[in-house]
Every structure is written in C-alpha cells, then in structure tokens.
Amino acid sequence: MPRRSTQEWIRISMRTPGILIFGMVMSPCGWILDLVATVAPNWRTIHNIPNTPSDEFIQQGIWDICRATSTNTRAECNLQDSTYFGNQIIEVAQGLMVASLIVTLIGLAVAIPGVRCWKDNPNWTVAGLGGLLIFLSGVMTIIPIAWYTHILEEISTVTPTATVTVGYCIILGYIGGIFEILAGFVMFIGICRCCGGKNRGERRVDEITHFSHQKPPSRRVDVPSLNRARSTASSSVPYSKDSMDEDVSFPRAKSPAVNNSYNGTPYDADL
C-alpha cells in the first residue's frame, strides 16, 4: 500500500472553521451600521446658529439636511442647500457609501457557497474571494468618512457654521467599516494555510497517524500485600505457618465428615 504524503492535511473537526464564522457574523453587522450611516442625515451638527433660538440646531448628512430643536422630537427635513451639496466630499461620499453597501452584499453572496456549512470541507478559494470583497467594501466606507472628518469645519454651507460637531453617522460608519475590514481580512487568510493549519482547523495526516499508533504508557498498580508482619509480643495465641496459609488463600469449604458407623447404625455417641 503506498505511503501517504506528509503534505496531506485533514480536518480535525467537522464544524465550520472559526475564521469563517467570525467573518459571516461581523460582515452583516458592519453592513447594517454602514446602511444607517449612509441614509441618516447626521454627519455633522451645527449649533449656536445666529438669529435662531439657542436650542435649535441643524443636522447635515450626505443626502438630506434637517432642522430640529432639543425640546421638539420632530425635525424639519428636506432643506435646500446647494452650497453644501456642491462640495466634492459630498459627491465622493455618496458614491463610495452606496458602492460599499453593494460590494458587501456581493461579497456575502460569494462567501456563503464557499463556507458551505452543510459540507465536510469549505471551498477556501471562494470563501477567501468573498472575504476580499468584504474587505474592500470596508475600505470604501472608511475613505469618505475619514475625509469628511478631516475637513469637518471646512465644508462650505449657506448656514453660518458657529459650532460644528461630529454626528453619530460618522461614529457608526467608522465602526461598520472596521467590522467589515476585520471580517474580510480574517476570511481572506483562509486561502493560505498558516500557523500549522490552525487557521483552517486542519492537521497533517502523518501527525494524526503518529499519535494514533503510540501506545499509552502502562500504569503501575500497587497491590497491597496480604502477608502482614506479626508481633509475637503483642499476641499470646501462637499461629502456625500452615494456618496462615489457609487463611490467606481462602480454601474451598470442606465437605462434611462421613459417619462411618457399623452397618449404617449410628453409635450412641452419634445420637
């Protein structure tokens, strides 16, 4: 029978590898956060606007602008500001954020058949390609958000920019982009086998064969001795060696003595 090659690998568990589980959980979470950051109108907030109530503020996103107050939960949206939407960063952010959402969905669609939770072995090439797409979608999210944050106070608008603060969309976008970058990177490293195959949950065939042929070391069992030392000074009853041998060896019970009476008639002593 031909000997197996030492380069062959085998799965040590039939469960889905941890790197694929991590990627398939983190990617949808990042996509949801990026979706909220894209559609919500709060990339930055302008406070202390001249000639307006002190509790009034304006929220500006990449698709819409809203005016609200701290005492009123309802906001007035669909405000027109051609100066704000004419900035280059707004056009870039609109394109990259939408492209990031689409690429993430494509990456998940590619990665799911590669993960193959219902099969014995995943298709690491297909799963890694899906992870690469998810990684690129995270990068496309981080680029406009980081650019927007860097020039936060320099973005022109018709509204007087008295006090400008970062909106929650920036925070959600950062978190979502990082989630997708980590998920895509972890899934992509499954293409190459590293760390002795631990990233794939695999081990070499010769290692498993080597350990399976090794016999476990024999255990030493200490049996207590039945020959105990006797002290003649502590006991007044003499014991013979033969009696001790009989006690230790547990002989079979003796048969009852046969009455050898004459002609079957019992003696008087027997009565």
Side-chain angles (χ1 to χ4, degrees):
M1 182 177 180
R3 185 179 178 182
R4 286 186 174 182
S5 174
T6 57
Q7 298 298 325
E8 293 185 2
W9 298 78
I10 188 173
R11 293 280 307 279
I12 59 179
S13 176
M14 301 309 297
R15 296 177 298 177
T16 303
I19 58 176
L20 298 182
I21 296 176
F22 179 85
M24 297 303 294
V25 171
M26 297 293 287
S27 301
C29 295
W31 185 85
I32 293 174
L33 294 176
D34 292 344
L35 178 63
V36 176
T38 302
V39 301
N42 194 2
W43 281 53
R44 72 173 184 174
T45 305
I46 301 176
H47 296 274
N48 301 326
I49 304 173
N51 302 323
T52 58
S54 59
D55 61 343
E56 184 175 312
F57 57 90
I58 292 179
Q59 298 174 338
Q60 295 178 333
I62 59 175
W63 300 101
D64 198 2
I65 299 176
C66 297
R67 184 190 303 271
T69 59
S70 57
T71 58
N72 189 3
T73 57
R74 298 185 60 181
E76 179 186 357
C77 298
N78 298 324
L79 300 180
Q80 301 298 324
D81 192 344
S82 58
T83 304
Y84 173 78
F85 290 111
N87 290 279
Q88 183 182 8
I89 181 57
I90 303 301
E91 298 177 356
V92 172
Q94 290 176 350
L96 288 179
M97 293 300 291
V98 173
S100 173
L101 296 174
I102 297 174
V103 173
T104 303
L105 295 178
I106 296 175
L108 289 174
V110 173
I112 289 175
V115 172
R116 295 197 305 180
C117 302
W118 57 92
K119 297 290 185 178
D120 295 341
N121 296 315
N123 191 330
W124 290 104
T125 303
V126 177
L129 179 60
L132 179 61
L133 294 175
I134 295 172
F135 177 85
L136 294 177
S137 67
V139 173
M140 287 189 291
T141 300
I142 295 295
I143 289 176
I145 290 180
W147 186 6
Y148 191 99
T149 306
H150 180 68
I151 60 173
L152 184 69
E153 298 182 357
E154 301 175 4
I155 300 175
S156 59
T157 178
V158 295
T159 303
T161 55
T163 304
V164 180
T165 58
V166 175
Y168 63 84
C169 290
I170 297 294
I171 300 174
L172 296 180
Y174 270 124
I175 298 175
I178 293 173
F179 278 7
E180 291 180 348
I181 289 176
L182 291 177
F185 176 76
V186 170
M187 294 178 66
F188 181 73
I189 62 176
I191 292 182
C192 58
R193 186 181 292 106
C194 57
C195 300
K198 293 182 179 180
N199 63 323
R200 290 187 173 187
E202 298 176 349
R203 291 183 64 178
R204 293 183 182 273
V205 175
D206 58 344
E207 293 181 1
I208 298 178
T209 306
H210 174 71
F211 286 114
S212 62
H213 281 77
Q214 285 185 348
K215 296 182 178 179
S218 58
R219 297 179 59 185
R220 180 180 177 182
V221 180
D222 296 331
V223 180
S225 176
L226 298 178
N227 296 327
R228 299 180 180 178
R230 300 187 303 273
S231 175
T232 57
S234 60
S235 176
S236 60
V237 181
Y239 293 92
S240 62
K241 183 176 183 303
D242 295 335
S243 63
M244 287 297 298
D245 293 338
E246 292 179 358
D247 294 337
V248 173
S249 60
F250 302 103
R252 184 182 301 174
K254 297 180 179 179
S255 60
V258 180
N259 189 0
N260 297 325
S261 59
Y262 179 75
N263 294 327
T265 305
Y267 294 105
D268 294 341
D270 296 331
L271 297 175

